């Protein structure tokens, strides 16, 4: 697990007050009777609310930064092994957002290997209310993100059919039997002592 703070050091995540960051604006249409320019909030691919203070998506780009800023995101849980892009790192630093990176390789069936311990460590970050509001993402917000959210649902005592329905809604035609089997067999016993409330009221 790689934990990078907003000041560039490793091992500690420091929350800072949100800084001003450039936002996307609608183009001016001209004419005095037209509405003033409005700020555009564009969510990342496959964005959704998982629970209070917990969100999921595909990889956010510059066009999504204003939207993430509007959510008051405090932490990013990044599930890919590739280095975080410099533009994204600068956005995190400017807004005091902590980055938690869990290097899960993106592979295809039948060679899918989901590291259970890595998912368990990522869940600990998600369950810690001090890290919320937070965004969980991989590249497309389908498989790795779907596995992590599915394991969270197991902790929340969702029935498997509902967990799989949610997973399939995002994975669509690329849903993997191996992912769903992993979720079903994931051992949640070591995480049951974590509180399951997802309140983001103490931002």
């Amino acid at each position: 697990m790689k934990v990078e703070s907003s000041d560039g050091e490793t091992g500690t995540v420091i929350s800072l007050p949100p800084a001003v960051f450039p936002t996307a604006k609608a183009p001016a249409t001209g004419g005095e009777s037209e509405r003033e320019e409005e700020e555009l909030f564009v969510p990342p691919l496959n964005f959704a609310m998982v629970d209070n203070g917990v969100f999921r998506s595909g990889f956010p780009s510059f066009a999504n930064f204003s939207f993430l800023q509007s959510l008051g995101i405090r932490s990013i849980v990044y599930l890919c092994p590739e280095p975080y892009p410099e533009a994204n790192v600068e956005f995190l630093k400017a807004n005091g957002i902590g980055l938690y990176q869990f290097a899960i390789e993106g592979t295809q069936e039948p060679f899918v290997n989901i590291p259970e311990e890595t998912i368990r460590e990522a869940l600990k970050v998600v369950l810690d209310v001090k890290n919320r509001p937070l965004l969980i993402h991989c590249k497309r917000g389908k498989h790795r993100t779907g596995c992590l959210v599915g394991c969270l649902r197991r902790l929340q005592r969702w029935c498997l059919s509902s967990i799989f329905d949610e997973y399939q809604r995002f994975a669509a035609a690329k849903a993997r039997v191996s992912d769903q089997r992993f979720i079903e067999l994931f051992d949640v016993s070591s995480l049951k002592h974590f509180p399951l409330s997802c309140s983001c009221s103490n931002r």
Side-chain angles (χ1 to χ4, degrees):
M1 180 182 79
K2 176 183 175 184
V3 181
E4 183 176 310
S5 69
S6 56
D7 61 1
E9 296 180 358
T10 301
T12 307
V13 176
I14 301 173
S15 296
L16 300 173
V20 176
F21 201 83
T23 56
K25 296 283 187 179
T29 56
E32 296 180 358
S33 62
E34 298 291 340
R35 294 182 304 175
E36 294 182 1
E37 292 181 359
E38 293 182 0
E39 190 170 16
L40 292 178
F41 295 104
V42 182
L45 175 73
N46 273 332
F47 177 84
M49 184 175 184
V50 176
D51 212 322
N52 291 330
V54 180
F55 305 92
R56 63 178 290 169
S57 76
F59 211 111
S61 66
F62 179 83
N64 311 130
F65 289 170
S66 295
F67 177 79
L68 297 182
Q69 192 178 44
S70 74
L71 297 176
I73 294 295
R74 178 176 286 176
S75 308
I76 297 283
V77 176
Y78 173 47
L79 303 176
C80 301
E82 294 81 11
Y84 220 49
E86 188 59 34
N88 293 57
V89 170
E90 290 302 316
F91 170 72
L92 300 190
K93 289 180 179 179
N95 290 275
I97 300 171
L99 174 64
Y100 294 85
Q101 182 171 2
F102 299 89
I104 301 175
E105 294 289 341
T107 54
Q108 296 183 353
E109 290 187 305
F111 306 106
V112 176
N113 178 28
I114 306 164
E116 184 168 333
E117 187 55 36
T118 303
I119 292 290
R120 185 172 286 106
E121 291 302 311
L123 274 174
K124 290 177 182 178
V125 174
V126 174
L127 292 170
D128 188 343
V129 294
K130 296 192 299 293
N131 296 323
R132 300 186 195 131
L134 63 81
L135 174 70
I136 304 164
H137 80 81
C138 51
K139 286 188 177 178
R140 298 286 180 180
K142 294 181 178 181
H143 302 117
R144 287 167 280 196
T145 298
C147 284
L148 182 58
V149 172
C151 292
L152 174 64
R153 299 308 193 194
R154 287 278 316 284
L155 276 169
Q156 294 176 321
R157 300 182 183 278
W158 279 34
C159 67
L160 283 175
S161 61
S162 295
I163 294 173
F164 294 159
D165 283 347
E166 181 180 43
Y167 169 86
Q168 292 163 5
R169 189 164 67 248
F170 291 93
K174 295 190 176 182
R176 295 174 177 170
V177 173
S178 56
D179 287 349
Q180 294 170 83
R181 185 181 301 117
F182 174 84
I183 294 168
E184 180 178 2
L185 299 177
F186 182 77
D187 181 11
V188 298
S189 61
S190 64
L191 297 167
K192 287 185 175 178
H193 63 284
F194 280 85
L196 294 182
S197 61
C198 290
S199 172
C200 60
S201 58
N202 297 322
R203 165 87 171 97

